[in-house]
Amino acid sequence: MKRILLFIVAVVCATALYAADYANVIVPRPLSCQAVAGEFVVTPKVVVRAENEALVAAGTIFAQNLSAVLDATLAVKKLSPKSGAINLQLDKTLLTEEYKLKIAADGVWIAGGSERAVFYGLQSLLQIAAAADEVKGGVKLCGVEIADKPHFEYRGGMLDVCRHIFTVEDVKRYIDILALHKINKFHWHLTEDQGWRIEIKRYPELSEVGAYRNQTIVGRNRTSKTYDNTRYGGIFTQDQVREIVAYAADRYIDVIPEIEMPGHAIAALTTYPELGCTGGPYEVWTRWGISKDIYCAGKESTFEFIENVLSEVLELFPYKYIHIGGDEAPRDAWKKCPLCQKRIKEEGLKNEHQLQSYFMERVERWLAERGRSIIGWDEILQGGISKSATVMSWRGSKGGIAAAKLGNNVIMTPNTHCYIDYYQTSDHKANGEPLGNGRFPVTLRKTYELDPYAELNAEQQKFIKGVQVNLWTEYIATFDHVQHMLLPRIAALAETGWSYGNKDYDDFARRMHILRKLYDKQGFVYAPYFFNGIE
C-alpha cells in the first residue's frame, strides 16, 4: 500500500512539474505561473464564451489566430461562463492591464481588469496552445494558473514608412506582431526628408510632390554613388490611416503619429519652399542622412502650416500623444536667416538651441490647448523643455537619465539596445545578414539586457514610463525584411517592458525556441541567427 501511495505521489508531482514547464512557455514571462491538476482539450467544438461585445471582438481575433494552430476557427459568442468552454470575463478587482488565466479540467477561464487585459490573457493562451501536444481532434492544454500584469505602462514599437513605404496590409501585419508580444503602442513615423507619407487635405501637393523622390541610393549610404533611377514614394490616405488606427485599437494598441519638426522636413520644403529659411529650391532626398535645411523658425507661415497639418492629424489619431520629432535639426540655416535671428532677439533667446526650444514649446502649447501631449527625441532637452514634454531617449540612455532627473516623463529607446535596423550578429558578413545599419551589432541578448532604470534612484525611476524598439528603414525595402529585423528582437524588448524585475536570459532563450513554433504557424519571416546559435 505504501508503495502504491508513493507511486501516486510521484506521478502527481511529475505531472505537476510537467504542467509547470509546459505552461511556462510564454513571452513575455508572466508574473506568476503555477501548475494545477487537470487538463483540457481544445477542439473545433469548443466555444469561446464572452461576457460582452468587446470581449466577443477580442475572442474573435484570438479564434482567427488560433486557427493556424488548430486548423479550425472556434465559435465566439456572447454568453455567460460555462464548463467546457473558453470563458472571457471582466474582474474589476484587477488592474487595467492585469489578467488571470486558469486552465483546468472544466475549461479555460480568463478574467481581466479590462477588455485589454483579457486580450493579453488570450495572447498567453495562444502561445500555450501553439506549444501544446496535439491529440486527436485538437490540442491538449495542461492545468495551470497564471496571474500576470505588466511592469511598464508604455511598451512600444516604431515603424518608419518614410524611407520605404509599405502597404496597409503590411502595417496591419506589423501591428499583429506587436499585439502577440503584448506591445501596446505603435509609433508611426510619417514624415521625413525622403518622403511625406500622410494625406493632408488642406495641402494636397504633399501627396503629389512631397510623397515622391526621383530615385533612391543603392548600397551603403556613406560610400555608394549609385542610384536606381526610379521614382519612388506613396501616401497613406486618410481613410487608410483610419483603417489602420481602428485595426490597432481592436488589438488594444494606441497609435502615436510622428510629424517631424523642425528638421527632417525636406519633403515638406520641396512642396512648399517658402517654409524654409532660403526659399529653396529643395528636392526630396534620394539618399539617407541629415539635411541642414529645416523649417524656418522666424516665419509665422511655418507655424500656420504645422498647425493646419496637426489639425488634420488630431482628427485621425485619438490617442493623447503626438510625436513631434526634434532630432537631428542643424541650426546652420537659422544662424544665417535674418528672420530667425529677429525671432531670437524679439523672444529674448540666447541662441539657436533656445530657438528650437521656442519652436517645440510653441507647438506643444498649441497641442495642449486641444488636449494633447507631445513626445520628442532627446535633442529637445537642448535649450530647455517644459515639464509636460515626454522625452524619447535614443542617443543611448543619457538623455533619458537627464530628463528623469529633471522630472520629465521618459521612454527609453537607446540605439545601443533598441535600434533594430542595426545588424543582429557580431559578424554580419560571415553570417550572411542583409545590408543594414552597421554602427554596432544589436543582438537579441543586447536588446534583452536593456535596463531602463540604470543610474537612477527610486524617485527618478518613477519618470521612466516605458521602452520601445525603433525600426528605421533606410536599408529595408520589403516587409519580409521588416519582419526579419523585428523578430525575434521585439520579444526581448517586450519582456523588459512587461517583466522587468522577473527576467532571466537563459530561461527567455528556452521559451523563444518554443515561441518559434508559433512564429512558424503564423507565417512570420523571422531572423534565424539566434535560433541557429549565432550571436
Side-chain angles (χ1 to χ4, degrees), residues 328-384:
E328 298 178 332
R331 279 55 156 184
D332 304 59
W334 286 358
K335 291 178 181 179
K336 299 176 184 178
C337 175
L339 293 176
C340 288
Q341 293 303 309
K342 181 182 178 184
R343 178 82 73 185
I344 289 173
K345 184 176 180 180
E346 289 178 346
E347 297 294 333
L349 308 175
K350 293 180 180 179
N351 51 38
E352 289 75 22
H353 289 310
Q354 289 194 354
L355 181 58
Q356 174 157 334
S357 293
Y358 164 84
F359 192 114
M360 305 305 277
E361 289 183 11
R362 178 168 171 174
V363 174
E364 181 185 11
R365 286 194 302 272
W366 185 90
L367 286 167
E369 291 170 358
R370 289 150 183 82
R372 301 301 184 94
S373 301
I374 70 160
I375 299 176
W377 300 108
D378 57 56
E379 285 95 330
I380 67 173
L381 289 165
Q382 299 169 358

Side-chain angles (χ1 to χ4, degrees), residues 75-91:
V76 184
K77 300 180 180 180
K78 182 182 177 184
L79 295 169
S80 299
K82 184 179 180 181
S83 296
I86 297 173
N87 299 290
L88 311 181
Q89 303 169 271
L90 296 179
D91 181 346

Side-chain angles (χ1 to χ4, degrees), residues 368-435:
E369 291 170 358
R370 289 150 183 82
R372 301 301 184 94
S373 301
I374 70 160
I375 299 176
W377 300 108
D378 57 56
E379 285 95 330
I380 67 173
L381 289 165
Q382 299 169 358
I385 58 171
S386 72
K387 286 291 185 183
S388 54
T390 296
V391 174
M392 190 167 275
S393 185
W394 77 273
R395 297 177 300 172
S397 297
K398 291 182 179 180
I401 293 168
K405 290 180 177 180
L406 289 172
N408 284 81
N409 287 338
V410 174
I411 309 300
M412 282 295 192
T413 179
N415 61 338
T416 50
H417 297 75
C418 297
Y419 268 42
I420 56 172
D421 55 314
Y422 289 16
Y423 287 118
Q424 305 187 53
T425 70
S426 57
D427 190 342
H428 63 271
K429 291 182 180 179
N431 295 322
E433 291 195 58
L435 182 65

Side-chain angles (χ1 to χ4, degrees), residues 266 269-274 276-285 291 293:
I266 290 296
L269 297 184
T270 302
T271 313
Y272 302 108
E274 65 274 13
C277 291
T278 67
Y282 307 101
E283 180 184 4
V284 178
W285 266 32
S291 171
D293 288 305

